[in-house]
Amino acid sequence: MSSDFIDFANNYLADLKRTIDELPMSGLQSLYSMVVSAAENGSTVHLIGNGGSAATPSHSAGDWSKEIGLKTISHSDNTSSFTAWANDEGYSQVFVGQLSTFASKGDLVIAYSGSGNSENIINGINYAKSIGCDTVGITGNYNGAGGGELAKIADMSIIVPTTSMERIEDIQLVINHIIKEAVKSEREQ
């Protein structure tokens, strides 16, 4: 039994290491530049996601606002607003509703979706683009879908190079920590 677990854990970690090694660094550089630009312009960063891909925006909104002083909102965190929009307009509109209240032209909207095909994420990105926000998709190659619709419609996308939802979600948080730490490092110089 324990050797089966060890084999499983080693395989998980091997795939995670491979995924990290194959991350598209040009995409991370672009995201970093967009976050720095948002900070310099006094823009707000809006983070949207579902399920495990909602946990990263929540975590990162706290980190980015506290540690780098960036106005950051996770639109998965306001339960009353989220459920009001879901109840009154439908789950597909939860991010459109919140962005219509909080987002402004020139803000940055970052969407997290393992598959890249969640309707509420797609609707949120399309709305953000329609009002002049910059948009980013952080997605994966879940089920071999190449980042899904999100990768096609966002201004810039990072497609995590794995078909595993778990590794995609692992790397979404790693990406956000890299960006935060890079901004902090740049400011300390």
Side-chain angles (χ1 to χ4, degrees), residues 86 89-96 119-121 123-124:
E89 303 297 328
Y91 192 72
S92 67
Q93 299 303 307
V94 294
F95 297 124
V96 170
E119 186 178 9
N120 60 357
I121 295 291
N123 291 343

Side-chain angles (χ1 to χ4, degrees), residues 116-127 148-151 153:
N117 289 316
S118 299
E119 186 178 9
N120 60 357
I121 295 291
I122 301 306
N123 291 343
I125 289 295
N126 282 328
Y127 175 79
E149 185 65 18
L150 177 59
I153 65 169

Side-chain angles (χ1 to χ4, degrees), residues 133-157:
C133 294
D134 294 321
T135 61
V136 174
I138 302 179
T139 183
N141 191 26
Y142 185 65
N143 288 334
E149 185 65 18
L150 177 59
K152 296 174 190 167
I153 65 169
D155 296 323
M156 194 279 293
S157 293

